[in-house]
Amino acid sequence: MSTLFPLANADDSAYADAFGADPWSVTSILSPSVEATSPSLRNYNLEHLTPQMVPAALKTAEPSVIPTAKSTQVLAARATAGVVTRPLTAELVANLAAPLPLLPLLLLLRILRLLVPTVVAAPLLLVLLATPTVPMEVAVLRTDTAERRPITVVQDARADAQILLVEEEEEEVHPTLPVRHLPHLRSPFSESQPLVLQLVQPPLTAHVALTITTPSAGIGPKEVAALRMVSQNPLVQAGVPAMHAGLLPNGKVVFLDKVENYTQLKLPNGQYAYSAEYDPNTRAVVPLSYKTNAFCSGGAFLADGRFVSIGGNAPLDFDPTVGDGFNAVRYLSRSASDASLNGQSWSEPGNKIASPRWYASVQTMPDGTLFVASGSKNGLDPTNPDNNNPTYEILNAVGITSGNNIPLEILNKNQPYYMYPFIHLMNNGQLFIQVAKSAEIFNVGTNAVVKALPDLPGDFRTYPNTGGSVLLPLSSANGYAPDVVICGGGAYQDITSPTDPSCGRIQPLSANPTWQMESMPEGRGMVEGTLLPDGSVIWVNGCNVGAQGFGVAKNPTLEVLIYDPAKPVGQRFTTGPASGIARLYHSVALLLLDGTMMIAGSNPVEQPVLTPVPNRVPSEDFVTEFRVEIYTPPYLSGANANKRPTGMTLSSKSLKADGSTFTVKFTAPAGNKAVKVALYHGGFVTHSVHMNHRMIFLDTTGFAAGATSQTLAVKMPPNRNVAQPGPYVVYVTVDGVPAVGQFVSVA
């Protein structure tokens, strides 16, 4: 997303001394006057170089690599995050990596050799930068005069990396010029733009030879630079298509996909991996194996913290190691305290659900059991009721079925729009269920409909025209009463289907529940909502025309929509930044521990397609997407990035939903005015359905406005209807800015 990586306006302090710049400075040095490289820097392991180490690394470099010649150029750009390079000489060997997971597709690039010839009249600066999708201001700093010369660079929104050829004297960015040997690259450019190169779904290792030429007065092109780039280990890519996802108790993200004939990762047995564990801090990705096809499964966290995937689809002949997943149960164990579990693959001890389910929803109940509803028996035409499974079953707290398939009428009457229903647990232990346009309150214990709610006006809201549904934050202020908002949807499953801009909001347990209607700025299908610790909701992903399915969506909706539930109708939506990446069928979004949002996925084709193929039916205009984006909400943008509460400690990480209290200590910024503590469960994310997603604002005492050292007594929810058992994250927000969250277990 564009403001994920905003570059702040340059200020004098950022450029006064390139080697004394703050930790978020981006510094690249080219010194053609010095021949030797530094052995110590050459061997420096940049993969483990943190932002805070950059100034020290520059200052401790040997004198031979500290440039002093007038021909030296230094590019410094102050940013909230940026590319870290190590300063070397004309024999330039520079690793490029992001210090935080804030660059959507910056592959690890190594420039093996860069030669700047002397045939050009003015010195030239070759700079490789990560590509945000907004204009950024950089400045060329000459080390002999410390003179700043700002240049505004407008970058192509589709680009992943950009090479700027800047002529120092004329402050001119040259237009693109003949380029040779560009496998896996395309270059969208015009006379007014710099040369922009984009890696188009490269393999794990891509060797790209590149020559740049520039016109010289009256004598034709002259070669000014040659370089060779090697991309190694796509640390900012998911490794597998991100069909399903969850934030694990170790702070990492699991991606889970169907059986594919290509992913970026392979297992020791030589087969492609269909699941991966992604570390947002290091961008490292580890392949995980499973035994049964998890295609379009449902899921949840068990009370013991294990992540479970339920149901799936049939095996495929090209991978004999993966079996039938229609009735499978898969377990993934991770811990906030036991690192030995990291990287371990899915466990499948052989537990089976009572009947085949593809596209089933899963809801954790107050006693830790799982309510598993809907699904297809065979993955075939849902307009034929014989293919469908409009029932529910109960799994116990460790994922073992009771063996009974119980008809659920709201599913039955809404066929074929009955799959992946929206389900939310309410504070009385009953369920809110929404399917197609219908909604009801359902009592699982008595197997009875408590109340049929009014139909939601507009188009269909569930698969294959899924919108998004969010249970808004719960709090004691209104007795933890549920408040549900559902946005988006569509009319039918075809690439011509219009999408619905409307949102309906309802309090199901109110005396007279009715839908309060409002509208997004545009129609969106496959739009998904994610709660933030400040109580707002971020809506991302989807399309403006089309539906869910292979090749039946177009016109991607790229903008972030920010929803403030506390504002009046008509004032709740504001439009945030736009991404340059289409996120269509099989995309995900979820909140990370640091309060940013990860956005990944989009695989709207039956098997991976790496380059768009026009004029295909079904459409292959949109490729399998491996890139990972990080969206930084407004509460961490600009000056807010320096206002985080820090040093948070909890008196216990084993909590109970029984009204008991625990203590939170932290350091707050000076001048603080208000605090909130949230208990947050991200759930199982797939197909714009966030199963079990919920957040509870907890009551606190002890906050001292203005004090930097804070100790709060925090009261847990009164019962498991409000906070069912499982892993949660505790977020502390001070004046709307969150501290880094910490996982806890709610028993």
Side-chain angles (χ1 to χ4, degrees):
M1 318 302 274
S2 56
T3 59
L4 316 185
F5 328 112
L7 291 180
N9 290 331
D11 59 49
D12 291 338
S13 62
Y15 298 96
D17 178 1
F19 301 112
D22 65 57
W24 302 117
S25 291
V26 181
T27 305
S28 177
I29 298 175
L30 170 63
S31 178
S33 63
V34 182
E35 293 292 331
T37 61
S38 162
S40 63
L41 285 178
R42 182 189 301 134
N43 296 326
Y44 204 95
N45 188 345
L46 195 83
E47 285 81 5
H48 301 289
L49 183 64
T50 65
Q52 291 74 18
M53 294 164 63
V54 175
L58 295 176
K59 289 177 179 178
T60 58
E62 288 129 356
S64 62
V65 295
I66 301 300
T68 56
K70 288 187 178 181
S71 58
T72 297
Q73 316 296 319
V74 176
L75 173 80
R78 190 177 183 190
T80 56
V83 182
V84 179
T85 65
R86 52 181 171 176
L88 295 180
T89 60
E91 182 94 11
L92 186 62
V93 182
N95 278 315
L96 302 179
L100 292 175
L102 295 179
L103 301 178
L105 183 66
L106 180 60
L107 300 180
L108 188 64
L109 299 178
R110 184 179 297 272
I111 303 175
L112 296 181
R113 185 173 180 82
L114 175 63
L115 297 176
V116 178
T118 58
V119 296
V120 185
L124 295 174
L125 176 65
L126 186 66
V127 181
L128 183 64
L129 291 175
T131 307
T133 57
V134 293
M136 72 175 182
E137 184 168 289
V138 299
V140 175
L141 173 68
R142 293 177 55 186
T143 56
D144 55 336
T145 63
E147 177 185 357
R148 284 196 300 130
R149 315 185 78 172
I151 307 165
T152 298
V153 182
V154 179
Q155 299 178 318
D156 189 288
R158 297 166 298 173
D160 304 322
Q162 173 169 276
I163 294 175
L164 307 180
L165 206 55
V166 181
E167 189 168 353
E168 181 191 11
E169 297 300 323
E170 298 180 5
E171 296 183 333
E172 173 185 350
V173 177
H174 289 281
T176 186
L177 297 158
V179 177
R180 304 193 296 271
H181 310 302
L182 297 178
H184 309 294
L185 294 177
R186 60 190 173 96
S187 52
F189 53 79
S190 69
E191 286 295 317
S192 62
Q193 291 179 320
L195 176 64
V196 177
L197 304 176
Q198 181 177 11
L199 289 165
V200 181
Q201 300 300 350
L204 282 178
T205 301
H207 296 269
V208 180
L210 164 64
T211 301
I212 302 173
T213 61
T214 187
S216 180
I219 58 174
K222 289 286 186 181
E223 182 175 304
V224 293
L227 64 122
R228 184 176 176 82
M229 297 187 298
V230 182
S231 67
Q232 301 171 331
N233 190 4
L235 296 181
V236 291
Q237 300 212 352
V240 302
M243 180 185 294
H244 319 77
L247 179 67
L248 301 171
N250 60 1
K252 300 180 182 181
V253 175
V254 61
F255 296 127
L256 180 63
D257 187 33
K258 62 184 176 71
V259 175
E260 308 279 17
N261 62 15
Y262 170 78
T263 70
Q264 294 180 321
L265 302 175
K266 281 198 171 184
L267 299 167
N269 64 6
Q271 298 290 340
Y272 286 112
Y274 314 125
S275 182
E277 183 174 1
Y278 180 92
D279 189 330
N281 294 316
T282 65
R283 298 163 302 281
V285 61
V286 177
L288 306 177
S289 66
Y290 61 52
K291 298 177 182 178
T292 56
N293 191 354
F295 184 14
C296 298
S297 61
F301 281 94
L302 298 179
D304 62 13
R306 285 181 294 171
F307 192 63
V308 62
S309 162
I310 298 170
N313 206 287
L316 295 179
D317 292 342
F318 56 76
D319 189 346
T321 69
V322 176
D324 192 319
F326 272 110
N327 61 357
V329 181
R330 307 164 199 87
Y331 302 85
L332 192 68
S333 297
R334 294 294 186 270
S335 168
S337 58
D338 184 0
S340 69
L341 297 174
N342 296 351
Q344 291 188 14
S345 290
W346 291 83
S347 170
E348 297 184 57
N351 299 338
K352 302 293 183 183
I353 52 177
S355 58
R357 297 186 186 274
W358 183 59
Y359 281 90
S361 291
V362 182
Q363 175 64 51
T364 305
M365 301 301 293
D367 60 358
T369 59
L370 302 180
F371 176 86
V372 182
S374 190
S376 169
K377 296 176 182 177
N378 50 29
L380 301 179
D381 183 6
T383 63
N384 180 351
D386 291 340
N387 298 324
N388 302 339
N389 192 355
T391 69
Y392 73 90
E393 60 182 285
I394 301 296
L395 277 60
N396 69 13
V398 294
I400 298 175
T401 183
S402 65
N404 299 317
N405 297 300
I406 306 169
L408 189 60
E409 180 56 26
I410 193 172
L411 300 178
N412 184 57
K413 73 178 184 179
N414 282 292
Q415 297 177 80
Y417 286 87
Y418 75 105
M419 292 189 281
Y420 274 157
F422 296 134
I423 306 174
H424 300 292
L425 175 66
M426 300 186 294
N427 62 339
N428 62 358
Q430 297 171 357
L431 299 181
F432 168 87
I433 303 176
Q434 201 277 340
V435 184
K437 302 179 183 182
S438 303
E440 69 182 23
I441 298 171
F442 185 75
N443 187 317
V444 178
T446 62
N447 185 35
V449 176
V450 177
K451 179 185 287 187
L453 299 172
D455 283 356
L456 174 55
D459 288 332
F460 298 112
R461 308 292 181 161
T462 50
Y463 183 86
N465 296 101
T466 304
S469 178
V470 176
L471 176 66
L472 294 173
L474 305 172
S475 75
S476 65
N478 64 352
Y480 305 98
D483 191 351
V484 177
V485 60
I486 297 175
C487 292
Y492 48 86
Q493 190 180 28
D494 189 78
I495 199 168
T496 63
S497 174
T499 57
D500 198 326
S502 70
C503 297
R505 183 168 165 181
I506 193 169
Q507 291 79 44
L509 297 182
S510 62
N512 183 30
T514 56
W515 291 100
Q516 182 186 71
M517 302 303 294
E518 52 194 321
S519 183
M520 297 182 290
E522 61 185 344
R524 295 177 85 145
M526 297 178 280
V527 62
E528 55 191 291
T530 302
L531 290 162
L532 296 185
D534 66 353
S536 60
V537 182
I538 299 297
W539 299 88
V540 294
N541 301 345
C543 68
N544 182 245
V545 179
Q548 290 171 298
F550 296 134
V552 290
K554 59 184 179 180
N555 296 6
T557 45
L558 303 174
E559 298 82 10
V560 170
L561 299 180
I562 305 169
Y563 180 84
D564 186 344
K567 290 187 176 180
V569 176
Q571 301 177 31
R572 293 170 178 162
F573 279 104
T574 56
T575 301
S579 172
I581 301 175
R583 302 290 185 183
L584 301 173
Y585 190 42
H586 296 152
S587 297
V588 297
L590 51 79
L591 186 71
L592 299 176
L593 288 178
D594 67 358
T596 63
M597 270 181 59
M598 171 181 284
I599 301 168
S602 194
N603 190 22
V605 287
E606 188 167 0
Q607 289 294 322
V609 173
L610 304 184
T611 303
V613 183
N615 304 317
R616 286 282 182 91
V617 179
S619 171
E620 293 185 1
D621 289 346
F622 297 97
V623 300
T624 303
E625 185 58 70
F626 291 95
R627 289 176 287 181
V628 175
E629 290 177 287
I630 300 296
Y631 168 62
T632 300
Y635 58 41
L636 288 174
S637 298
N640 286 340
N642 298 317
K643 296 180 180 179
R644 274 192 190 274
T646 58
M648 186 174 79
T649 61
L650 309 179
S651 60
S652 175
K653 294 189 177 181
S654 296
L655 307 175
K656 293 183 179 181
D658 60 0
S660 56
T661 62
F662 66 99
T663 301
V664 178
K665 295 182 179 181
F666 59 93
T667 300
N672 56 78
K673 299 176 181 178
V675 69
K676 286 185 177 181
V677 177
L679 190 64
Y680 189 100
H681 186 83
F684 183 101
V685 180
T686 187
H687 292 74
S688 75
V689 182
H690 290 217
M691 302 177 193
N692 291 287
H693 186 30
R694 68 201 292 114
M695 185 174 78
I696 306 106
F697 282 126
L698 304 179
D699 293 338
T700 67
T701 57
F703 178 70
T708 56
S709 180
Q710 298 280 356
T711 300
L712 305 182
V714 183
K715 187 176 182 180
M716 285 291 289
N719 55 58
R720 293 179 297 180
N721 296 338
V722 178
Q724 68 268 52
Y728 287 76
V729 177
V730 171
Y731 290 102
V732 172
T733 61
V734 175
D735 298 331
V737 182
V740 175
Q742 295 186 22
F743 263 100
V744 298
S745 174
V746 176

